[in-house]
Amino acid sequence: MSVSGFSAPWWFLLLLVVAALVAGYVLAMRSRRRRTMRFTNLELLERVAPRSQGRVRHVPAALLVVSLLLLTVALAGPTAEEKVPRNRATVMLVVDVSLSMEATDVQPSRLRAAQDAARSFAQDLTPGVNLGLISFAGTATVLVAPTTERDGVVNAIENLRLAQSTATGEGIFAAIQSIESFSAVVGGAEGPPPAHIVLMTDGKQTVPQDEYAPRGAFTAAGVAKQKNIPVTTISFGTSYGSVDIEGKRVPVEVDDTSMREIARLSGGDFYKAATAEELKKVYDDLGEQIGYETKEVDASRPWLALGTIALLGAAVGSLLIGQRLP
């Protein structure tokens, strides 16, 4: 039962009528008492008048007043905040498939853990959200354009393959282009649906090495900000990960600093996940944030139900106590 907001508060003017009824009832009771006291033969009055029921006789009137109060609140249209599934939104899931994802500091490997978490994210995302998938290493590839069909996304996640280099900026630019192409088709009179990029990577950009280059990650994040497409980054892995490349053991430490900066520049959020369980929780949280929106909804039904129950109680009480309806 919410009292945080009302869509039609002018109905509260009826409380003046309720107050007038209460005052009228009190005056009527006092007037009745004065008339009774004017009866000269009190001994005869006690014999012929029905026995007083005391305060219990006021119960029906009290229930009636309570009913009117509750029904007045219901008419005022109380509202409450409620999470409702989005029925139009676009999310591009951008996954790093560089060779560093082969590291086993996250069991069974970074790639396998990322696939499991991303698959769960895709399957649990609310049906009205259009989800697309991009993989990136030295270049970016749009594997699935935004769609409400989840099978294609899940299958593409399962078939991710590793490649050399890490072009984070290319992944973001590809996501922006995919979102704009999709929005141009489905925009309609309501305009383009809200869009979001979820970027999951485990290392520093290597192509190009300057993140402020025209195709760099920071430049892409700035473009995303201009287009009102926040990029939420997930820095996945540990500081002690390593992989074998051409017979050499190469450390592949995660780059939290760059991921945090990409999120800041684009207006998104930054998450860090060092285990498969943490990554799963991050995706679960993102599913809640992206898949649902908070709206003001009507909350008058509980007030209406209680008001009706109180009104029925007043009627039943009046019949049992006074053998008549109020």
Side-chain angles (χ1 to χ4, degrees), residues 189-252:
E190 298 182 11
H196 205 110
I197 296 173
V198 178
L199 170 68
M200 198 221 72
T201 181
D202 69 338
K204 186 177 180 63
Q205 172 184 288
T206 61
V207 180
Q209 292 187 350
D210 182 6
E211 290 167 311
Y212 283 104
R215 302 298 290 183
F218 293 169
T219 303
V223 173
K225 176 69 172 181
Q226 294 173 5
K227 297 180 179 296
N228 197 29
I229 305 175
V231 181
T232 289
T233 59
I234 306 173
S235 184
F236 181 47
T238 68
S239 59
Y240 53 84
S242 61
V243 293
D244 286 322
I245 299 178
E246 297 179 354
K248 296 181 179 180
R249 199 68 178 170
V250 179
V252 285

Side-chain angles (χ1 to χ4, degrees), residues 156-200:
I157 291 171
E158 289 296 328
N159 291 307
L160 291 175
R161 294 293 180 266
L162 300 180
Q164 291 184 345
S165 302
T166 305
T168 309
E170 292 296 338
I172 299 173
F173 277 122
I176 294 173
Q177 183 176 0
S178 184
I179 288 170
E180 289 186 323
S181 299
F182 180 74
S183 297
V185 175
V186 302
E190 298 182 11
H196 205 110
I197 296 173
V198 178
L199 170 68
M200 198 221 72

